[in-house]
Amino acid sequence: MSESSAKNSTTLATKITESIRTAIVSGDIAPGAKLSEAQLAMQFNSSRGPVREAIRRLEVERLVRHVPHEGARVITLERNEIVAIYQVRESLEGMAASLAAQHMSDEDIVALRQLWEQHRAHQHQTGEYMQADGDFDFHYRIIQGSRNPYLIRQLCDDLYQLLRMFRYRSSRFISRSAVALTEHEHIVYAIEQRDSQLAELVMRRHISRAARDIAQAMQTEETKL
Amino acid sequence: MSESSAKNSTTLATKITESIRTAIVSGDIAPGAKLSEAQLAMQFNSSRGPVREAIRRLEVERLVRHVPHEGARVITLERNEIVAIYQVRESLEGMAASLAAQHMSDEDIVALRQLWEQHRAHQHQTGEYMQADGDFDFHYRIIQGSRNPYLIRQLCDDLYQLLRMFRYRSSRFISRSAVALTEHEHIVYAIEQRDSQLAELVMRRHISRAARDIAQAMQTEETKL
DNA sequence: ATCGGCAATATTGTCAACAATAATTACAAA
DNA sequence: TTTGTAATTATTGTTGACAATATTGCCGAT
């Protein structure tokens, strides 16, 4: 487990929170793993206080499940929970796309198009899957474009944490980068046209298909065991 | 400020969290008010530790804004933030209604109808506005009926806290109980018919109208000052 | 050999003191 | 009077010790 990524925030508790969060999301701390206060405190050269604060925060963020007097464990995402999350994501991010088509500045739309061009070029050259990071970047920009602060927080701070955590583990399945690239283009197009209805629909389908692929992959994964 | 509503949870920090949360949501602690650790600790006959934990949790729940070394204050909801929240609520709860129409058990639907009958009877007798609590109860049942655990948490644990906090302050405006009663009936009907599309649409309109009324009321309220 | 209860151990919850940072006040100079 | 600065005060951040609870291991009974 790497506690390297500790940004120099103002307070120790914040740094520890971020370190543990990235460790969970990146899979360095496995789902279901126990978070021992004493152990973590030792690891970060601190006392248990700041570690406790970090765990409490991550508990509210739903990355950690805590039961009194027993301790905290990293959550494990079951199949039905993944499905539930994707269902919400479809609704929320569809709305984000719709709002983005209405509210994004012309410059931001140009930048979005350029980002997509980069992704295409990258895929053309390397023939590689789209990087998860690139995909997230694309979606983040559209969410930001919604200009709805509450929606932005819900998606970026909350839902996407869970998504990242899950994606890291299951990146082996996801080989739909070619399809995704095409779908992204359609989204960019709809936003360029300022067609909020189309943007919403295309985004919803994009996410819906991803969800279907993942659910299917998990299904076969489960039957294999 | 009443710290009376302390349920006997297993841990002190939890009790304090709940007490402060209800105090904020009910308006006993005013928006923008400072949350002093020492003062709260005294108030709850505890040390600062549990109070700090409570504040950290409420911070992640977005009921409190915290800046390092300065302290925590209760958030203040601006007009545009209310609009943003209602926009998200419309999308999420529309989805909840759709899912409820698909997944609610027949018994639960009967119970929902009965609840509505009660509301109607109550209004008939007293001619009163619908109680905010009754309204929340109605919506909660439908959200639960969605059977989507992530959606349920997002709405009940997160969004509705903010809604409650705001509603308490502004209950003076909201006199649309007669309209709401009718709209609720339409929602119940759509769910009884298992018409998920209709349920979603009617719910969205219900919330959209409420949002419009509130935005309008805030507008006039602002110009008055 | 397995199961249930008791002691030992480990872990979490709470507390009070200390350190570090921000807010306030007092004071002096312009 | 006003303004900038330094000292004071108050508040938050962190720590280690102690209390309360859960887990583990041991022992005896069936």
Side-chain angles (χ1 to χ4, degrees), chain A residues 86 89 93 112 115-116 118-120 122-123 129-143 156 160 163-164 167 174-185 187 203 206-207 210-211 214:
Chain A
Y86 264 88
R89 187 191 167 197
E93 217 168 320
L112 185 68
L115 178 68
W116 180 81
Q118 283 175 25
H119 288 174
R120 184 176 62 170
H122 181 266
Q123 175 164 311
Y129 311 86
M130 186 184 302
Q131 313 276 15
D133 287 338
D135 189 40
F136 279 123
D137 192 12
F138 183 84
H139 285 271
Y140 266 68
R141 291 208 195 185
I142 292 170
I143 294 166
C156 297
Y160 264 64
L163 226 57
R164 273 180 195 281
R167 174 106 40 133
I174 309 167
S175 60
R176 35 178 262 108
S177 79
V179 179
L181 194 72
T182 304
E183 290 174 351
H184 280 191
E185 205 278 329
I187 294 168
M203 178 63 89
H206 175 53
I207 293 168
I214 286 170

Side-chain angles (χ1 to χ4, degrees), chain B residues 11-30:
Chain B
T11 150
L12 184 55
T14 308
K15 278 186 272 189
I16 293 178
T17 304
E18 288 168 2
S19 291
I20 298 180
R21 187 191 293 122
T22 54
I24 291 174
V25 164
S26 70
D28 286 344
I29 304 179

Side-chain angles (χ1 to χ4, degrees), chain A residues 48-208:
Chain A
R48 279 173 48 219
V51 171
R52 278 181 72 84
E53 283 193 19
I55 291 176
R56 288 301 172 284
R57 290 201 256 221
L58 297 172
E59 184 192 351
V60 181
E61 291 179 19
R62 310 280 180 188
L63 288 175
V64 153
R65 188 186 314 276
H66 168 87
V67 294
H69 294 111
E70 283 186 23
R73 312 191 84 89
V74 179
I75 59 160
T76 60
L77 289 176
E78 307 300 331
R79 186 167 167 282
N80 63 322
E81 285 173 303
I82 301 276
V83 171
I85 291 171
Y86 264 88
Q87 221 168 15
V88 172
R89 187 191 167 197
E90 183 181 331
S91 173
L92 247 33
E93 217 168 320
M95 176 179 149
S98 166
L99 290 173
Q102 299 172 249
H103 298 320
M104 269 180 92
S105 71
D106 293 337
E107 296 76 35
D108 286 344
I109 294 178
V110 169
L112 185 68
R113 167 64 74 178
Q114 286 172 345
L115 178 68
W116 180 81
E117 297 282 3
Q118 283 175 25
H119 288 174
R120 184 176 62 170
H122 181 266
Q123 175 164 311
H124 224 262
Q125 289 170 14
T126 65
E128 233 172 34
Y129 311 86
M130 186 184 302
Q131 313 276 15
D133 287 338
D135 189 40
F136 279 123
D137 192 12
F138 183 84
H139 285 271
Y140 266 68
R141 291 208 195 185
I142 292 170
I143 294 166
Q144 295 291 339
S146 75
R147 303 283 160 83
N148 181 316
Y150 188 75
L151 178 62
I152 292 170
R153 284 194 314 230
Q154 285 299 317
L155 282 171
C156 297
D157 294 358
D158 221 61
L159 196 148
Y160 264 64
Q161 296 295 342
L162 296 174
L163 226 57
R164 273 180 195 281
M165 174 177 168
F166 171 73
R167 174 106 40 133
Y168 267 91
R169 278 192 292 150
S170 61
S171 54
R172 40 198 154 89
F173 314 140
I174 309 167
S175 60
R176 35 178 262 108
S177 79
V179 179
L181 194 72
T182 304
E183 290 174 351
H184 280 191
E185 205 278 329
H186 295 174
I187 294 168
V188 175
Y189 176 79
I191 292 176
E192 282 171 341
Q193 298 299 315
R194 302 283 186 189
D195 187 334
S196 61
Q197 250 189 309
L198 180 62
E200 172 160 9
L201 191 62
V202 174
M203 178 63 89
R204 289 190 74 122
R205 292 292 181 273
H206 175 53
I207 293 168
S208 173

Side-chain angles (χ1 to χ4, degrees), chain A residues 10 52-53 56-57 59-60 62 68 84 87 91-92 95 99 148 150 153-154 157-159 162, chain B residues 10 52-53 56-57 59-60 62 68 84 87 91-92 95 99 148 150 153-154 157-159 162:
Chain A
T10 48
R52 278 181 72 84
E53 283 193 19
R56 288 301 172 284
R57 290 201 256 221
E59 184 192 351
V60 181
R62 310 280 180 188
Q87 221 168 15
S91 173
L92 247 33
M95 176 179 149
L99 290 173
N148 181 316
Y150 188 75
R153 284 194 314 230
Q154 285 299 317
D157 294 358
D158 221 61
L159 196 148
L162 296 174
Chain B
T10 47
R52 278 181 73 85
E53 284 193 17
R56 289 301 172 284
R57 290 203 254 219
E59 184 193 350
V60 182
R62 310 280 180 189
Q87 221 168 14
S91 173
L92 247 35
M95 176 179 147
L99 290 172
N148 180 317
Y150 189 76
R153 284 194 314 230
Q154 285 299 319
D157 293 359
D158 219 60
L159 195 148
L162 295 174

